[in-house]
Amino acid sequence: HDTKTPQYLTSDRSSFAFTSARSRWPVILTGAIDDVHRAVSALELSQTDKREEGKRIVEAVGALKYEVLHDRAMTPLEDDGGSDIEEYNRELAALGETTWLHAPWLFSECYLYRRIATHFARSTHWKQHDVFARQKISTFRSSRPAVLELATRYNAILSDLARTTPSAEAASLVFTEIAEISLWGNATDLSLLTSLSYADIQKLQGSEARKAAEKHILINDLHAAYDVLLKAQAAGGERTVDIILDNAGFELFADLLLAGYLLATGLATSVTLHPKSIPWFVSDVVPADFAALLSALHDPRAFFETASEEEEREGTKPAPLADDEVAALEALFAHWSGLHAEGALRMRPNAFWTAGGSFWRLPTSAPRLYEDLRESTLVVFKGDLNYRKLVADAAWAPTTAFAEALGPMGKASGVDLLSLRTCKADVVVGLPEGKDEELRAEQGEGEGRRWAWSGKWAVVSFSGGKKG
Ligand code: F6P
Ligand code: MG
């Protein structure tokens, strides 16, 4: 159940795969090594076993970095008890002699993160350690201006809703606003932080930036998804929205605004969030990130008045929060933790989300999960990697219909799905004739689809799979 269209390879000179594997992966691996090294140094001398084991993990990740840099063969994953190891290794074997820098991009990048995870899973003392947690938390701290702006705006929306019923037109505008907040929340993920500063990120997150960015949404099918939700609401009964999450911190915050809004308006009666089960593509949500976000909102002063790593380096201190800012964040804590406690907002991890293959395999590799998603009113896929997986990271002509590129998840899949994706890779489908050429002509120097690498452009693509 894979596409016949060739996938992007880490050896394609004109693809972002080439740059990613050669320039970004080593930086990400170095960050992981530093993190464990710091965690080891922070241990008491008496914790000898944990220290020794930590040092061995540092060596193992260091060896992995060496393999990548020197384009060594990709070797089978060591068994760490995970049910997905066998499938990874079967796929690797099927690829034949494959080296890091001459491999399918999607599989090799997934394998990279799965490989890092084996070293922790196989340990005694480091099983729960998330090498990216420190970075995720620090970046969320520096998202403070946008978090405060959105918290105030969202609380105002909720209190309006409690007072009056908006007109259909006003309701649709607010839905669009909230969905676009969730979309652009994806623009600032950590795997791209190797090239973005915190200041760049703050600029990207503000409301003015969002308005200006509307013209960068190349395809906007939000109305189709909204129609599906309105119809389900009019029909009454249970209606679930599933959100296949992407990144922690600011993006998760934005996704919770969307989830909370759907529940508050009755567009959904429950929302199921799908996090990853292992640390993934640096910034992706694992269940502990959800808990960490709620606890930051529970005690906003403790969280946002602590210096971020950048502030620490610069010797600056965050300003104290104003009382109304604290109150706005605490209100969000009460809102979301209440929804979670009553079961309307759920979190459901599944190992399928961190498998090495595309979502073309969902019906066959994860039939129970697939059945659940077929029951859902709307399945929202967040972010770039989820989009790449939906369309199998293949080199489609950019005018290919989205439903076709979805393969078994397209027409007749029984799943209505919406992808909210800022473009950070080569693949893109559903564009009008000539658009790719136009953007390529504007991108300046260099071959390939460079315009699609930076998160500046976005696609909001809907596929109605329930009609058959
Ligand atoms: O573009 C770099 C990259 O790491 C891609 O490999 C990956 O698809 C993406 O970023 C991760 O972004 P997101 O968090 O939006 O999935
Ligand atoms: Mg991500």
Side-chain angles (χ1 to χ4, degrees), residues 16 20 24-25 28 105 109 113 186-187 189-192 246-247 251 281 283-284 382-388 421-425 453:
F16 195 38
S20 285
R24 295 173 46 254
W25 293 356
I28 289 166
W105 183 20
E109 200 164 25
Y113 289 96
N186 176 249
D189 79 283
L190 289 172
S191 67
L192 283 175
D246 186 3
N247 302 313
E251 183 172 356
F281 283 71
S283 36
D284 281 32
K382 289 297 318 283
D384 188 74
L385 179 66
N386 281 327
Y387 182 89
R388 285 171 62 200
R421 177 235 190 175
T422 66
C423 303
K424 303 175 204 161
W453 295 358

Side-chain angles (χ1 to χ4, degrees), residues 331-348:
L332 280 182
F333 170 78
H335 174 56
W336 290 334
S337 56
L339 292 171
H340 188 48
E342 73 197 34
L345 185 63
R346 296 182 292 247
M347 182 59 79
R348 288 251 169 91

Side-chain angles (χ1 to χ4, degrees), residues 42 59 79 123 180 233 236 383:
E59 277 168 26
D79 187 8
S123 76
E180 287 183 6
Q233 185 175 25

Side-chain angles (χ1 to χ4, degrees), residues 110-180:
C110 293
Y111 167 95
L112 176 73
Y113 289 96
R114 187 63 186 88
R115 171 90 172 261
I116 296 172
T118 59
H119 299 300
F120 295 90
R122 286 166 61 83
S123 76
T124 307
H125 303 281
W126 296 84
K127 283 194 191 303
Q128 301 305 323
H129 187 81
D130 176 351
V131 271
F132 305 123
R134 200 191 298 264
Q135 231 178 314
K136 286 186 269 194
I137 289 169
S138 180
T139 315
F140 187 50
R141 280 210 167 94
S142 54
S143 305
R144 168 175 152 170
V147 166
L148 290 172
E149 180 190 324
L150 289 177
T152 310
R153 171 76 187 118
Y154 181 77
N155 289 329
I157 290 173
L158 285 196
S159 54
D160 278 356
L161 271 177
R163 270 201 319 270
T164 52
T165 310
S167 68
E169 200 193 339
S172 147
L173 281 176
V174 178
F175 171 79
T176 305
E177 178 184 352
I178 300 265
E180 287 183 6

Side-chain angles (χ1 to χ4, degrees), residues 225-247:
Y226 190 51
D227 281 352
V228 164
L229 295 173
L230 285 178
K231 282 207 182 93
Q233 185 175 25
E238 276 294 299
R239 43 201 186 277
T240 303
V241 171
D242 285 77
I243 305 180
I244 318 306
L245 296 172
D246 186 3
N247 302 313

